[in-house]
């Protein structure tokens, strides 16, 4: 009997239960979908690292000897050590200067193996070259083709033996200032060191180390790095672990960010679902008070009746959660795939639900069950004789406003709505939460676009005002560099890798040294332009945060390839979206007894083709092209914005419609009374809309505040190398307000039309 009653009640209150179902559905749809995507990233990368036997550490230095390799291999913590030479050159394909190519000349390869997509496995005893896949596709290169390369004016030709991807290049960019990779316009290649064009000048600047065991903590990693330096008796080297590899760290941060987003978005929908269950079950049990008393009188135990009403929440939340999990797992990861494949290079992308999704389903059902129990226990605690009687009217106390003189000056509709809100606090709070959630998601959607737009303007309009970045080849003398700079009226810049050390952390970053000029600028947290200090160093705010440092603190640092460690005071902080590290003016850098050796210059003058083709120039980076790459990425961002907007509108419609139906059903008798007293349907509808307007305004205000905080949390979960400012323009606030208001007004207009459908006899007849 109770099963039939359950089905009948679900059907009779289908509007409210459908809204609860949809909230549970959306919550698990988002959580399970993002969990499957983020967990899949972890599974895909782990499989990739295992298949290619990814190294644990990379040592950057110069002229590593065979004896040094043997010293490291003698350590108990070390399994294998490979030497390689990494150089930047060009591939002579197509017309013009030729794209930049990073060469890896391998003496041996016992770990960090390339993943072969086509052709032969890599072998250091074979001649030829193994080319990166996206580069090969862009330039229509195939296995067996011959490619001409150039390094420092020396040209050599190799036959393509294989098309590969490599775990060390999951994400890589040509320039540290680039926010978006443009794969195919540059690439990397692996060759045996026997293919180096001038064998007499062959040297190795990298050691690739695979450890015998897993490194569990950062303290163990730091200890191993110090052991390597002590074993080699070198302080001018940099030892990097996996977390300091730009691509590996970036995709790991992306995985963490997606997981955090899944939890945050799902929490919003789950909260709304819980509030829906509270209001729905409270109203249902109140309306079924006499039925509950009858069931008690017929001999049904209190526990069985309680379980019957708790089962409403269990059934709806279970159905919604399971449906959301299945559909979210199947379809939501596909929406992320386009964006992820544009950034990261993996052999395959896997989706896999983790145990967290099962916990989320159980939590959703458990919370719904508890809320259902708490909502109906008041009607279940009385004796049958009491329950069979109608409930006594609520003993409402007059509020301070109702006792004041101001109350008398308010019109009837304001008084009526004010009292209705006080009598139905839970329903009103639910409405405010629904409106706030709608506004929050809309603001977050438009704010994401604002943040990307801000990055483009900030990076390539305010911080970098040069139109071209010209990168010098390694063989160019400083005199020739100054001549190029004078010819094109540029600003010389030296960029390099730098290592920072505190008592507990060692981090790799960038060092930038600026000559006189006005093409690179720096700003503080307030967006005001600052001058670089002549004493001490200027550090990026994100790097200072990672190291736990502030202005006035000292930090130890050294340039890769330099022996000496410097200890400098941080005298100012600046913000930059990429390339976290330190920046010094040339005078301050030379005061530390370093020679200024520029690696590039910025200019606004057009670079002619003969300069681009020159052996002195490694590459010319167009700022307009970098902007274009970011604009291309906005296509994926627009998809994500569209998803957020749809979710926001659905949330608003579902919650507001549910609240409106509950409100209307509870006020049917009062509305009928107003009609008897002579109020027209139009007047009554205006009274009902007034309360909706109050709730909408309060919800919008709360949603705007929460939306900014929500967006800021998302921006703070970016990788350590990126510093994304949280920006929301006025237009986005207006769009969020208008979108929420239209959603709320549309739902209320639809519901207020029910005033004409009230049956006066049923609404006004007494209790039978």
């Amino acid at each position: 009997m109770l099963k039939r009653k359950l089905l009948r009640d679900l059907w009779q209150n289908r509007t409210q239960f459908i809204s609860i179902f949809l909230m549970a559905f959306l919550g698990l749809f988002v959580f399970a979908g993002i969990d499957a995507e983020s967990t899949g990233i972890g599974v895909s990368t782990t499989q990739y690292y295992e298949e290619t036997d990814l190294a644990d550490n990379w040592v950057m230095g110069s002229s590593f000897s065979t004896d040094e390799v043997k010293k490291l291999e003698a350590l108990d913590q070390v399994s294998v050590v490979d030497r390689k030479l990494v150089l930047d050159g060009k591939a002579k394909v197509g017309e013009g200067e030729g794209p930049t190519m990073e060469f890896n000349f391998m003496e041996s390869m016992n770990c960090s193996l390339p993943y072969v997509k086509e052709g032969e496995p890599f072998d250091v005893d074979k001649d030829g070259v193994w080319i990166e896949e996206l580069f090969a596709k862009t330039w229509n290169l195939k296995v067996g083709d011959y490619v001409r390369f150039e390094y420092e004016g020396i040209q050599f030709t190799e036959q393509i033996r294989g098309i590969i991807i490599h775990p060390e290049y999951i994400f890589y960019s040509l320039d540290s200032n680039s926010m978006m990779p443009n794969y195919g316009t540059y690439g990397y290649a692996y060759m045996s060191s026997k293919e180096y064009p001038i064998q007499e000048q062959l040297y190795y600047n990298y050691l690739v180390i695979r450890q015998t065991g897993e490194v569990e903590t950062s303290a163990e990693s730091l200890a191993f790095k110090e052991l390597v330096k002590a074993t080699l008796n070198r302080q001018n080297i940099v030892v990097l672990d996996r977390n300091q590899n730009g691509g590996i760290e970036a995709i790991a941060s992306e995985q963490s960010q997606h997981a955090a987003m899944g939890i945050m978005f799902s929490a919003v929908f789950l909260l709304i679902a819980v509030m829906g269950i509270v209001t729905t079950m409270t109203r249902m049990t109140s309306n079924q008070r006499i039925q509950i008393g009858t069931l008690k009188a017929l001999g049904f135990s209190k526990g069985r009746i309680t379980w019957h009403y708790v089962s409403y929440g269990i059934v709806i939340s279970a159905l919604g959660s399971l449906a959301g999990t299945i559909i979210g797992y199947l379809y939501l990861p596909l929406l992320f795939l386009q964006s992820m494949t544009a950034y990261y290079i993996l052999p395959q992308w896997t989706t896999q639900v983790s145990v967290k999704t099962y916990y989320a389903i159980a939590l959703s059902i458990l919370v719904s069950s508890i809320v259902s129990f708490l909502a109906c226990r008041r009607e279940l605690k009385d004796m049958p004789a009491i329950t069979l009687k109608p409930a006594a009217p609520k003993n409402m106390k007059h509020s301070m406003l109702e006792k004041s003189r101001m109350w008398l000056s308010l019109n009837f509709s304001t008084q009526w709505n004010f009292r209705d809100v006080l009598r139905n606090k839970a329903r009103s709070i639910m409405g405010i939460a629904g409106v706030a959630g709608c506004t929050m998601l809309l603001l977050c959607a438009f704010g994401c676009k604002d943040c990307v737009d801000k990055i483009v303007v900030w990076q390539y309009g305010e911080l970098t005002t040069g139109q071209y970045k010209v990168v010098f080849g390694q063989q160019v003398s400083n005199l020739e560099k100054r001549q190029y700079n004078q010819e094109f009226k540029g600003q010389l810049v030296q960029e390099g890798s730098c290592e920072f050390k505190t008592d507990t952390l060692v981090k790799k970053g960038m060092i930038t040294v600026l000559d006189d000029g006005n093409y690179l600028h720096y700003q503080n947290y307030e967006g005001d332009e600052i001058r670089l200090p002549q004493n001490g160093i200027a550090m990026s705010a994100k790097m200072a945060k990672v190291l736990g440092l502030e202005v006035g603190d000292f930090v130890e640092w050294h340039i890769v390839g330099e022996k000496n460690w410097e200890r400098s005071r941080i005298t100012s902080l600046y913000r930059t979206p990429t390339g976290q590290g330190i920046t010094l003016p040339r005078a301050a850098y030379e005061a530390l007894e370093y020679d200024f050796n520029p690696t590039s210059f910025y200019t606004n003058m057009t670079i002619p083709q003969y300069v681009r083709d020159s052996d002195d120039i490694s590459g010319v980076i167009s700022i307009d092209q970098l902007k274009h790459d970011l604009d291309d990425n906005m296509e994926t961002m627009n998809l994500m914005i569209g998803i957020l907007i749809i979710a926001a509108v659905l949330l608003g419609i579902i919650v507001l419609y549910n609240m409106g139906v509950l409100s209307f059903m509870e006020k049917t008798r009062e509305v009928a009374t107003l009609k008897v007293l002579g109020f027209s349907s139009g007047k009554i509808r205006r009274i009902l809309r007034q309360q909706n307007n109050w709730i909408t305004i309060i919800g919008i205000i709360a949603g705007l505040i929460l939306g900014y905080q929500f967006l800021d949390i998302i921006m703070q979960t970016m990788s350590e190398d990126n510093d994304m400012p949280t920006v929301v323009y006025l237009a986005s606030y207006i769009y969020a307000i208008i979108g929420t208001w239209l959603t709320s007004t549309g739902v209320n207009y639809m519901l207020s039309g029910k005033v004409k459908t009230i049956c006066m006899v049923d609404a006004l007849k007494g209790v039978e």
Side-chain angles (χ1 to χ4, degrees):
M1 184 179 74
L2 292 181
K3 291 181 180 179
R4 292 196 298 271
K5 179 178 179 299
L6 170 65
L7 295 175
R8 184 175 63 249
D9 288 341
L10 290 177
W11 176 253
Q12 291 177 347
N13 299 275
R14 55 187 177 276
T15 302
Q16 290 74 45
F17 283 118
I18 287 174
S19 68
I20 297 170
F21 169 87
L22 290 174
M23 287 297 102
F25 171 86
L26 288 174
L28 266 297
F29 173 82
V30 172
F31 186 86
I34 295 181
D35 177 58
E37 187 263 347
S38 61
T39 303
I41 293 175
V43 172
S44 300
T45 53
T46 300
Q47 290 177 348
Y48 188 25
Y49 300 158
E50 291 176 352
E51 289 180 20
T52 57
D53 195 19
L54 179 64
D56 296 304
N57 297 94
W58 295 264
V59 183
M60 301 169 58
S62 60
S63 301
F64 290 112
S65 67
T66 305
D67 290 338
E68 289 176 316
V69 172
K70 292 179 179 179
K71 288 180 181 179
L72 291 178
E73 289 180 332
L75 297 174
D76 294 336
Q77 298 91 332
V78 175
S79 173
V80 294
V81 180
D82 294 320
R83 285 194 301 176
K84 69 175 181 177
L85 172 62
V86 181
L87 300 171
D88 288 332
K90 294 179 181 179
K92 293 298 184 178
V93 292
E95 299 179 357
E97 59 182 297
T100 299
M101 176 68 70
E102 186 167 273
F103 303 128
N104 291 262
F105 293 96
M106 307 297 303
E107 179 191 38
S108 60
M109 182 173 279
N110 299 304
C111 62
S112 277
L113 310 175
Y115 188 96
V116 180
K117 303 299 286 286
E118 296 180 40
E120 306 174 17
F122 182 83
D123 190 340
V124 294
D125 293 325
K126 291 183 178 180
D127 58 4
V129 64
W130 281 256
I131 296 284
E132 187 258 325
E133 180 184 28
L134 294 178
F135 183 88
K137 286 183 178 179
T138 301
W139 298 98
N140 196 28
L141 300 174
K142 298 179 178 60
V143 175
D145 292 349
Y146 286 86
V147 185
R148 193 158 46 94
F149 298 114
E150 180 182 314
Y151 168 69
E152 292 190 352
I154 303 171
Q155 296 190 7
F156 57 103
T157 302
E158 299 287 345
Q159 185 181 21
I160 299 177
R161 293 284 187 180
I163 306 297
I164 63 168
I165 58 174
H166 199 281
E168 295 175 11
Y169 294 88
I170 285 181
F171 171 89
Y172 70 106
S173 180
L174 181 63
D175 181 62
S176 61
N177 293 325
S178 176
M179 294 289 295
M180 177 70 183
N182 192 9
Y183 297 131
T185 60
Y186 51 89
Y188 59 86
Y190 278 76
M191 290 172 277
S192 169
S193 59
K194 298 173 184 177
E195 299 303 301
Y196 187 69
I198 306 177
Q199 286 291 307
E200 296 77 13
Q201 299 179 6
L202 176 63
Y203 66 98
Y204 297 98
N205 56 5
Y206 268 82
L207 296 178
V208 184
I209 300 176
R210 188 76 166 91
Q211 294 182 236
T212 53
E214 295 294 330
V215 179
E216 300 292 340
T217 64
S218 58
E220 292 177 354
S221 177
L222 182 60
F224 180 77
K225 293 175 182 179
E226 294 300 323
L227 176 63
V228 170
K229 292 181 179 180
T231 302
L232 299 181
N233 193 25
R234 287 202 196 191
Q235 293 301 315
N236 62 335
I237 60 174
V238 173
V239 185
L240 306 176
D241 57 31
R242 290 187 183 184
N243 293 330
Q244 293 173 293
N245 178 287
I248 296 172
E249 189 274 333
I251 197 169
S253 297
E254 188 90 27
Q255 179 185 5
S256 301
Q257 182 189 36
H258 288 192
M261 288 174 59
I263 293 173
M264 290 187 294
F265 282 114
S266 301
V268 174
F269 294 115
L270 182 59
L271 176 63
I272 300 300
V274 167
M275 297 184 68
I277 292 173
V278 170
T279 53
T280 301
M281 293 305 299
T282 301
R283 185 189 64 82
M284 178 184 292
T285 52
S286 297
N287 291 343
Q288 294 187 359
R289 175 183 177 86
I290 296 177
Q291 293 184 33
I292 293 172
T294 303
L295 291 173
K296 288 182 177 180
L298 291 174
F300 287 88
S301 65
K302 180 180 177 181
R304 189 173 179 186
I305 299 173
T306 301
W307 174 252
H308 167 69
Y309 282 99
V310 169
S311 64
Y312 287 84
I314 295 177
V315 170
I316 296 302
S317 61
L319 291 175
S321 298
L322 291 174
T325 299
I326 294 171
I327 297 177
Y329 167 74
L330 293 175
Y331 295 105
L332 190 57
L334 300 178
L335 300 177
F336 288 93
L337 188 61
Q338 181 181 0
S339 172
M340 295 299 291
T341 53
Y343 274 95
Y344 306 105
I345 303 173
L346 292 175
Q348 60 183 3
W349 292 86
T350 304
T351 56
Q352 180 173 312
V353 173
S354 73
V355 69
K356 291 186 292 185
T357 295
Y358 301 111
Y359 290 153
I361 295 173
L363 178 64
S364 176
I365 296 173
L366 178 62
V367 171
S368 300
S369 303
I370 294 173
V371 169
S372 298
F373 170 74
L374 296 176
C376 65
R377 66 173 181 169
R378 184 181 62 181
E379 303 296 340
L380 298 171
K381 66 181 180 180
D382 294 329
M383 298 294 292
I386 299 175
T387 311
L388 284 168
K389 297 178 181 179
K394 293 181 180 179
N395 184 20
M396 295 295 296
K397 295 181 180 180
H398 290 297
S399 63
M400 293 296 294
L401 179 61
E402 292 173 290
K403 296 177 182 178
S404 66
R405 293 183 178 179
M406 185 185 299
W407 180 257
L408 299 177
S409 64
L410 300 177
N411 57 37
F412 171 77
S413 61
T414 302
Q415 294 177 343
W416 190 83
N417 281 311
F418 184 80
R419 283 174 172 162
D420 185 64
V421 168
L422 292 181
R423 288 190 179 96
N424 299 277
K425 298 183 181 66
R427 188 190 70 217
S428 301
I429 292 174
M430 176 186 170
I432 292 172
V435 173
C438 178
T439 307
M440 181 184 74
L441 293 180
L442 285 175
L443 188 68
C444 189
F446 295 119
C448 285
K449 185 177 185 302
D450 290 342
C451 290
V452 175
D453 290 342
K454 173 62 178 178
I455 285 293
V456 176
V457 175
W458 184 37
Q459 174 70 46
Y460 304 125
E462 298 176 8
L463 300 183
T464 304
T465 54
Q467 292 301 307
Y468 298 96
K469 179 180 181 180
V470 183
V471 183
F472 294 118
Q474 297 183 5
Q475 80 282 7
V476 186
S477 67
N478 282 343
L479 176 60
E480 291 173 314
K481 292 176 182 178
R482 289 195 296 271
Q483 291 174 345
Y484 275 112
N485 188 61
Q486 291 174 356
E487 179 182 354
F488 293 98
K489 299 179 181 179
Q491 179 180 10
L492 291 170
V493 178
Q494 177 181 335
E495 294 177 311
S497 298
C498 189
E499 197 171 29
F500 304 96
K501 182 168 65 174
T502 65
D503 293 337
T504 58
L505 285 176
V506 174
K507 290 291 182 181
K508 177 176 174 287
M510 295 284 299
I511 179 171
T512 305
V513 184
L514 302 184
D515 200 1
D516 294 335
N518 197 37
Y519 291 122
L520 292 180
H521 308 266
Y522 292 86
Q523 297 177 354
N524 57 21
Y525 257 102
E526 288 71 36
D528 300 324
E529 187 166 346
I530 61 173
R531 295 179 61 86
L532 295 177
Q534 296 299 319
N535 297 315
I537 60 173
M539 177 175 281
S540 66
K542 188 65 173 287
M543 178 61 74
K545 181 179 179 181
V546 171
L547 296 173
L549 301 174
E550 298 177 349
V551 173
D553 293 339
F554 284 89
V555 62
E556 292 186 70
W557 59 277
H558 85 103
I559 303 170
V560 175
E562 297 289 343
K563 180 178 181 180
N564 296 329
W565 281 80
E566 303 292 341
R567 189 171 185 270
S568 304
R569 183 189 293 274
I570 302 172
T571 52
S572 66
L573 297 177
Y574 62 89
R575 294 195 73 179
T576 180
T578 59
Q580 309 303 321
I582 59 174
T583 302
L584 294 84
R586 177 178 177 177
Y589 181 72
E590 292 178 334
L592 296 174
E593 299 183 357
Y594 291 109
D595 294 329
F596 180 63
N597 184 22
T599 56
S600 61
F601 70 90
Y602 287 85
T603 181
N604 277 333
M605 295 179 63
T606 302
I607 308 300
Q609 191 61 46
Y610 75 88
V611 174
R612 294 172 180 265
D613 295 337
S614 170
D615 294 335
D616 294 340
I617 304 303
S618 174
V620 177
I621 300 171
S622 169
I623 301 302
D624 287 338
Q625 182 61 46
L626 296 179
K627 291 181 182 179
H628 179 71
D629 294 341
L630 269 177
D631 290 337
D632 288 345
N633 188 47
M634 278 305 298
E635 295 180 5
T636 304
M637 177 63 71
N638 290 335
L639 175 63
M640 301 304 299
I641 291 171
I643 295 171
L644 281 176
I645 292 174
I646 293 172
V649 173
L650 281 176
L651 174 64
I653 291 175
I654 292 169
V655 174
L656 292 174
Y657 187 82
N658 183 36
M659 182 199 71
V661 170
L662 286 174
S663 176
F664 185 79
M665 294 177 69
E666 291 172 353
K667 292 185 290 192
T668 301
R669 187 179 182 87
E670 289 87 342
V671 171
T673 303
L674 292 176
K675 295 185 77 171
V676 170
L677 293 175
F679 285 79
S680 65
S681 296
K683 175 64 175 177
I684 296 173
R685 293 175 70 177
R686 285 193 293 273
I687 293 174
L688 297 178
R689 283 199 295 267
Q690 183 184 55
Q691 183 179 143
N692 180 77
N693 292 339
W694 294 355
I695 291 173
T696 301
I697 292 172
I698 297 173
I700 287 175
I701 294 172
L704 294 177
I705 298 172
L706 293 174
Y708 184 87
Q709 298 298 325
F710 197 79
L711 181 64
D712 186 59
I713 292 173
I714 294 176
M715 293 299 107
Q716 296 304 318
T717 58
M718 300 294 290
S719 69
E720 292 182 353
D721 193 52
N722 294 323
D723 188 3
M724 296 281 283
T726 305
V727 177
V728 182
Y729 296 131
L730 177 61
S732 295
Y733 283 106
I734 295 174
Y735 295 152
I737 293 171
I738 293 175
T740 306
W741 188 267
L742 290 176
T743 301
S744 176
T745 303
V747 172
N748 184 255
Y749 181 83
M750 180 173 55
L751 287 170
S752 62
K754 290 181 176 291
V755 172
K756 298 179 180 180
T757 66
I758 293 178
C759 178
M760 304 294 288
V761 175
D762 291 339
L764 294 174
K765 68 180 180 179
V767 179
E768 296 178 348

